[in-house]
Amino acid sequence: MYESKATVRAEFESFRKMFLMLGGLLCAITGLVGVLNFFNAIMTGILSRRREFAVLQAVGMTSKQLRNMLVYEGLFYALGASAAALILSALLNPLVVNLLETMFWFIRSSFTITPVLLVIPVFALLGWLIPSIMYGQAAKYSIVERLREAE
């Protein structure tokens, strides 16, 4: 049986494309789960503290101050998650690369931080946008209605 160099290269290229496709798909799913978890954490925090927000406004906190507090909280979560991603990427990359290089002789890796840096503005935008929208929905009702509803 004859196996040409072109056949082996084509098989290797399809193997490489499979790894890229599966890796990209897994990264996309993980990213989507992360964004949904972030949305859920912000939304749950706002919904569970509705009475607290109404009481704060009843004793003199303005709507702008409350919105700013929620936006800063969202930005803190988003930028904290980005910092954790940067640190974990830098720490875990050598371990994972060494493991993959021992498993597959053809893998060569170079660490790039660009994808994490590109996602930081997206997370910051979500950290600002989600609390603003959620507060806008909660602020449709008067303070008295929100205090009465929370009881």
Side-chain angles (χ1 to χ4, degrees), residues 12 100-108:
F12 179 72
L100 288 175
E101 284 177 348
T102 57
M103 288 174 60
F104 303 109
W105 60 269
F106 53 84
I107 288 184
R108 281 185 222 112

Side-chain angles (χ1 to χ4, degrees), residues 4 20 22 24 61 76 85 96 98 130 140:
S4 71
L20 286 173
L22 287 176
M61 186 177 220
F76 177 74
V96 173
N98 287 338
I130 292 172
K140 287 181 180 178

Side-chain angles (χ1 to χ4, degrees), residues 26-43:
L26 287 174
C27 287
I29 290 171
T30 304
L32 180 64
V33 167
V35 168
L36 290 174
N37 189 22
F38 174 72
F39 176 74
N40 188 33
I42 295 293
M43 186 177 73

Side-chain angles (χ1 to χ4, degrees), residues 88-101:
L88 286 173
S89 295
L91 292 176
L92 292 178
N93 183 58
L95 300 172
V96 173
V97 168
N98 287 338
L99 177 68
L100 288 175
E101 284 177 348

Side-chain angles (χ1 to χ4, degrees), residues 16-78:
R16 190 179 73 80
K17 285 182 182 177
M18 179 194 67
F19 265 93
L20 286 173
M21 185 179 70
L22 287 176
L25 184 65
L26 287 174
C27 287
I29 290 171
T30 304
L32 180 64
V33 167
V35 168
L36 290 174
N37 189 22
F38 174 72
F39 176 74
N40 188 33
I42 295 293
M43 186 177 73
T44 303
I46 291 173
L47 291 177
S48 66
R49 297 180 349 205
R50 276 188 296 190
R51 179 171 173 77
E52 174 188 340
F53 297 152
V55 169
L56 286 172
Q57 284 188 307
V59 296
M61 186 177 220
T62 65
S63 294
K64 184 178 179 182
Q65 289 172 328
L66 185 56
R67 181 185 301 264
N68 285 341
M69 181 185 78
L70 292 172
V71 166
Y72 287 142
E73 182 180 314
L75 288 173
F76 177 74
Y77 283 154

